[in-house]
């Protein structure tokens, strides 16, 4: 059964990625959501509509949680978690780092994730128990265990000036000083996928929502990595703090985070 879900999710992510790319090339309207720096575009809405309609047509009893519209409550144990465009600020500025993220949860547990990166021609995907893949290639996390050899990623929450934003700036500096470098991709899902395939050795961010996390979490875990709260406890999206790593860097990163507070 999950193979059928995966096939539909991959085709849908591919079509959605093509639609997003088409909008980026032809132009689109952009609005703000509350804060001046929290954007949503015409493309986010159009891609979300395509994804939601396709899921509703194929699985009318499934629940759906998406970034840009009200949740749909179904009767089955399955829930889709969708970010139509992750990296919307990049997208709105013509920057190529954005993706479509589709995850499926069964009784609260993510069981598959598909992430389409149309400008990179890369699809990251995983199904629980079956490993993680980039296009046709099996991927795994890196083997780095020393900060001096690591390339890391950090995100900064939208609520600039907040306590967690201040902590993020401080951590950025601390990580930068002891690693090979720190990146801020602008898409949480891409950051997670890049941990999964060994481009990054660790990634942390405050303020993420379920649609920023769900697909990437399955992909990192199936690639052999770890995704938890920043204190190492089981990830609880309501706590809005996330640490992902290749596993070897998890304890060093937890120690680093604890030392900052
Ligand atoms: C955002 C991106 C970004 C992260 C933000 C997210 P959006 O999602 O994932 O990297 O720093 O916290 O909200 O708005 O582009 O879908
Ligand atoms: Ca989004």
């Amino acid at each position: 059964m999950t193979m059928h879900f995966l096939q539909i999710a991959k085709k849908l992510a591919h079509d959605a990625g093509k639609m997003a790319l088409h909008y980026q090339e032809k132009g689109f309207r952009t609005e703000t959501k509350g804060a001046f720096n929290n954007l949503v575009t015409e493309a986010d809405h159009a891609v979300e509509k395509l994804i939601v309609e396709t899921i509703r047509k194929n699985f009318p009893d499934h629940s759906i949680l998406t970034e840009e519209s009200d949740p749909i409550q179904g009767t089955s144990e399955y829930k889709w978690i969708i970010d139509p465009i992750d990296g919307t600020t990049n997208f709105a500025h013509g920057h190529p780092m954005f993706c479509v993220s589709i995850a499926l949860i069964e009784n609260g547990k993510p069981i598959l994730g598909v992430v389409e990166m149309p400008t990179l021609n890369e699809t990251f995907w995983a199904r629980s128990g079956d490993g993680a893949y980039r296009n046709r290639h099996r991927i795994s996390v890196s083997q780095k265990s020393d900060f001096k050899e690591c390339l890391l990623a950090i995100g900064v929450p939208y609520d600039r000036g907040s306590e967690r934003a201040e902590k993020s700036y401080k951590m950025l500096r601390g990580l930068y000083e002891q690693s090979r470098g720190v990146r801020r991709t602008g898409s949480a899902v891409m950051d997670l996928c890049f941990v999964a395939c060994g481009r990054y050795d660790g990634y942390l961010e405050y303020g993420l929502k379920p649609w920023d996390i769900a697909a990437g979490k399955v992909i990192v875990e199936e690639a052999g990595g770890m995704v938890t709260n920043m204190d190492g406890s089981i990830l609880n999206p309501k706590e809005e703090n996330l640490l992902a790593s290749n596993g070897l860097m998890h304890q060093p990163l937890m120690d680093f985070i604890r030392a900052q507070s």
Side-chain angles (χ1 to χ4, degrees), residues 210-228:
W211 44 82
D212 299 316
I213 300 170
K217 181 175 188 292
V218 194
I219 294 169
V220 171
E221 290 177 345
E222 285 298 318
M226 290 173 70
V227 183
T228 67

Side-chain angles (χ1 to χ4, degrees), residues 23-82:
Y23 268 98
Q24 204 183 39
E25 282 158 7
K26 81 167 191 178
F28 49 83
R29 284 191 312 277
T30 302
E31 291 164 9
T32 54
K33 296 190 282 189
F36 77 98
N37 58 347
N38 193 357
L39 306 180
V40 60
T41 74
E42 194 183 348
D44 293 77
H45 292 299
V47 172
E48 186 167 282
K49 186 164 182 282
L50 169 73
I51 297 174
V52 170
E53 285 178 357
T54 308
I55 294 173
R56 296 284 282 164
K57 194 169 101 211
N58 284 279
F59 311 112
D61 59 335
H62 289 193
S63 302
I64 307 177
L65 176 68
T66 59
E67 179 169 12
E68 313 299 349
S69 19
D70 292 337
I72 295 172
Q73 186 58 52
T75 51
S76 91
E77 65 274 41
Y78 293 108
K79 182 197 269 185
W80 295 86
I81 302 191
I82 310 297

Side-chain angles (χ1 to χ4, degrees), residues 38 67 83 85-89 155-156 158 184 186-189 191 205 207-208 212:
N38 193 357
E67 179 169 12
D83 195 340
I85 297 181
D86 189 51
T88 298
T89 305
V156 180
Y158 283 128
R184 195 263 188 277
S187 157
V189 180
D191 287 327
E205 179 157 0
L208 296 175
D212 299 316

Side-chain angles (χ1 to χ4, degrees), residues 5-6 8 80 109 144 169 190 205:
F5 295 149
L6 179 65
I8 291 194
W80 295 86
K109 188 178 171 302
K144 308 275 171 56
Y169 302 140
M190 291 178 88
E205 179 157 0

Side-chain angles (χ1 to χ4, degrees), residues 148-214:
K148 288 196 193 67
E149 296 184 333
C150 286
L151 183 62
L152 302 166
I154 188 168
V156 180
Y158 283 128
D159 44 356
R160 312 278 156 80
S162 63
E163 192 187 330
R164 60 192 189 177
E166 292 303 325
K167 274 194 199 163
S168 306
Y169 302 140
K170 195 173 161 206
M171 292 201 292
L172 168 61
R173 180 182 176 141
L175 293 173
Y176 207 78
E177 282 171 351
Q178 56 183 319
S179 67
R180 281 189 181 159
V182 183
R183 300 291 178 261
R184 195 263 188 277
T185 309
S187 157
V189 180
M190 291 178 88
D191 287 327
L192 286 166
C193 290
F194 288 5
V195 171
C197 69
R199 290 174 185 160
Y200 297 153
D201 308 294
Y203 157 59
L204 48 97
E205 179 157 0
Y206 288 105
L208 296 175
K209 305 290 184 198
W211 44 82
D212 299 316
I213 300 170

